[in-house]
Amino acid sequence: MVFPLCMSMGLPVFLYQIVLEKETRLIENMKINGMKMSNYWKINYLFNLVFYMITALIFLFFGMTVFDLQVFSDSNFMVLLTVLFGWGLAQISMAFFISVFVSRS
């Protein structure tokens, strides 16, 4: 099924953003200007999560109404939201973890 593959496409975007900021030394400039790293990671995590949830809700809308896919119509809506939310948290966390080992975008 194509749906899990499509929902995994956020991981490279999240990873690219973090690595690009590290590569262009944007993080170092923000630290020089007094930003705490804990604030950076919290805001980055929250931004990526909001971006992912908007994408997931668009996928849910199209899967339920436009394409009328069986996985959406036969499943409990709250279970789908919980699974998608967990999947987003896992992708963002993996992007943060992988960014430690990648130095060039």
Side-chain angles (χ1 to χ4, degrees):
M1 195 162 143
V2 179
F3 182 70
L5 179 64
C6 291
M7 292 310 297
S8 298
M9 289 312 199
L11 178 66
V13 174
F14 304 145
L15 181 61
Y16 180 76
Q17 172 199 357
I18 297 168
V19 172
L20 187 63
E21 286 178 356
K22 188 167 60 170
E23 184 179 0
T24 58
R25 302 206 187 272
L26 184 61
I27 296 173
E28 295 300 321
N29 287 335
M30 288 187 280
K31 284 195 306 192
I32 289 171
N33 288 321
M35 183 193 66
K36 296 180 184 175
M37 284 307 291
S38 62
N39 291 337
Y40 170 78
W41 291 115
K42 288 175 193 173
I43 294 300
N44 209 358
Y45 203 93
L46 183 66
F47 175 78
N48 288 336
L49 184 62
V50 168
F51 176 74
Y52 172 80
M53 289 309 293
I54 290 171
T55 306
L57 290 175
I58 290 171
F59 270 89
L60 271 175
F61 172 75
F62 277 94
M64 290 177 137
T65 58
V66 176
F67 298 116
D68 195 32
L69 296 174
Q70 186 177 6
V71 70
F72 297 114
S73 60
D74 291 347
S75 299
N76 185 358
F77 185 71
M78 290 309 293
V79 171
L80 282 173
L81 280 180
T82 305
V83 168
L84 288 174
F85 183 73
W87 184 244
L89 292 177
Q91 284 188 63
I92 297 167
S93 300
M94 283 300 295
F96 283 9
F97 178 70
I98 295 171
S99 72
V100 172
F101 303 108
V102 179
S103 61
R104 301 180 79 188
S105 58

